[in-house]
Amino acid sequence: LYEQGVFLASGRKEPRDGGVIIAVAENRARIEEITAGDPFVEAGVCAYRITEFIATKTAPALERYRETLG
C-alpha cells in the first residue's frame, strides 16, 4: 500500500501498546475495507480505530494532501 500511495507512514507507539498508520484514500469506506482485510484483524488479534482528519498545514513534501478551508 506504500507503493500505491495509500500508506504514507507507519510505526509503533511509545509505549508499545499499538501502532499508527497515516493513510490516504478516496473515502473512509476504502480505509475500512483495507483494515478489515488485514490478516491480524481476520485472526482476531488486532483491531483498528480509524480517525479522520483534514490536514490544513503540512511539510512541503506532503503539500498535495493539504486541504484549504473555505
Side-chain angles (χ1 to χ4, degrees), residues 5 17 28 33 39 44 47 52 55 59 68:
D17 61 354
R28 182 185 180 103
E33 177 185 340
E52 296 181 68
T68 57

Side-chain angles (χ1 to χ4, degrees), residues 11-67:
R12 66 178 186 257
K13 290 173 36 181
E14 192 60 48
R16 291 192 68 173
D17 61 354
V20 173
I21 301 171
I22 299 176
V24 177
E26 56 274 10
N27 54 46
R28 182 185 180 103
R30 177 65 181 126
I31 297 296
E32 290 172 347
E33 177 185 340
I34 290 167
T35 57
D38 183 310
F40 290 107
V41 171
E42 292 175 343
V45 297
C46 169
Y48 285 89
R49 182 179 67 196
I50 299 168
T51 302
E52 296 181 68
F53 81 102
I54 298 170
T56 56
K57 188 171 185 177
T58 64
L62 298 173
E63 183 175 354
R64 71 185 215 160
Y65 303 108
R66 187 182 318 150
E67 294 187 31

